[in-house]
Amino acid sequence: MQYWLQELGLGGVILLGGSAGELALRSQQLQDWAKIPSTTLHTAARILQDSQLVGGSLPLSLDPTDKHTRQLCNLIVVDDLLTCDFLGGNAPAVTIPQKLGYELQLVDCHTPKLLKEVDHPIASRATLVQLFLRGNPFRGSTGLLPAAEQWFKTLLRNNNLQALIIYGSPYALEQLLPDLPPTTPYVFSYGQMPQAQAIALEVLFRNHSPD
């Protein structure tokens, strides 16, 4: 039963009181309940896959020696790291690129503005940019942080934008797409949860299995 509870992200449940028969019944009820999310997750995965927008040269072409010889950067930009619950050390957006040799760099609204982005070490490295944004069309907002736009333009200017993934705001994609080179791979997902991250990165790195 511990396996099912971990699948649900509940960590564990204590069954208190009752006879052995009552505890067995509760255990069976939990098992039945634990089966429900698997169907829900499958449906959610299909929705995420079917609603994705992709373009450029996909999957991303990586030299097998890049992991050990090139400096690759995984630049994640999020509205506010203090309030997001979809990013952590075990999030696919972090772990999948990491296993392929990417070094993580996090940016949010609290990150000090870099006055000379061109001189920043990231600007000279092949960089995967992942943007977690929420736009509001009724307020005329794309959700695109100034920092995200600055890094996007800097990496483009230096020819180091390796690929782009946007989670959440299709309006940000509309804003950036006209400047994106036709061959640069991009993936857009309406979701931001770990499942959405894994699906988007699987599309990007389809030919490259992390160790």
Side-chain angles (χ1 to χ4, degrees):
M1 186 170 62
Q2 182 66 24
Y3 169 79
W4 297 314
L5 297 176
Q6 287 178 341
E7 281 282 332
L8 288 170
L10 298 176
V13 169
I14 300 175
L15 299 175
L16 297 175
S19 65
E22 289 172 335
L23 289 175
L25 178 59
R26 291 180 196 175
S27 176
Q28 183 60 51
Q29 289 173 336
L30 281 172
Q31 293 175 25
D32 293 339
W33 175 54
K35 295 175 183 177
I36 297 174
S38 62
T39 303
T40 303
L41 288 174
H42 178 72
T43 302
R46 289 294 302 273
I47 292 173
L48 289 168
Q49 290 168 344
D50 293 343
S51 63
Q52 272 188 156
L53 300 176
V54 300
S57 300
L58 284 168
L60 179 64
S61 178
L62 285 179
D63 189 310
T65 62
D66 281 351
K67 179 175 179 179
H68 304 289
T69 62
R70 284 186 75 188
Q71 288 187 316
L72 301 174
C73 179
N74 174 26
L75 178 63
I76 295 179
V77 182
V78 64
D79 295 322
D80 190 343
L81 285 167
L82 297 177
T83 61
C84 73
D85 57 2
F86 45 80
L87 275 178
N90 294 323
V94 174
T95 60
I96 293 176
Q98 185 178 50
K99 291 176 181 178
L100 292 170
Y102 287 80
E103 182 179 333
L104 177 64
Q105 177 68 52
L106 296 170
V107 173
D108 74 347
C109 62
H110 302 290
T111 303
K113 183 178 180 180
L114 298 175
L115 299 178
K116 296 182 179 180
E117 294 93 346
V118 176
D119 297 329
H120 195 284
I122 296 176
S124 62
R125 298 163 63 179
T127 301
L128 162 63
V129 176
Q130 298 189 76
L131 307 179
F132 290 83
L133 307 167
R134 287 297 182 194
N136 189 332
F138 300 105
R139 297 181 180 175
S141 169
T142 64
L144 188 62
L145 292 175
E149 190 170 9
Q150 289 167 8
W151 275 115
F152 176 79
K153 291 180 178 179
T154 297
L155 291 166
L156 274 182
R157 191 163 53 244
N158 292 357
N159 197 32
N160 279 320
L161 180 61
Q162 190 181 44
L164 173 68
I165 302 179
I166 298 178
Y167 305 93
S169 173
Y171 314 106
L173 176 64
E174 291 177 6
Q175 182 175 338
L176 297 179
L177 201 53
D179 295 323
L180 199 66
T183 57
T184 301
Y186 73 85
V187 181
F188 168 77
S189 174
Y190 283 96
Q192 295 186 332
M193 69 285 280
Q195 188 178 24
Q197 300 168 29
I199 292 172
L201 287 161
E202 196 279 331
V203 171
L204 183 66
F205 295 122
R206 192 180 302 276
N207 293 340
H208 306 278
S209 299
D211 295 336

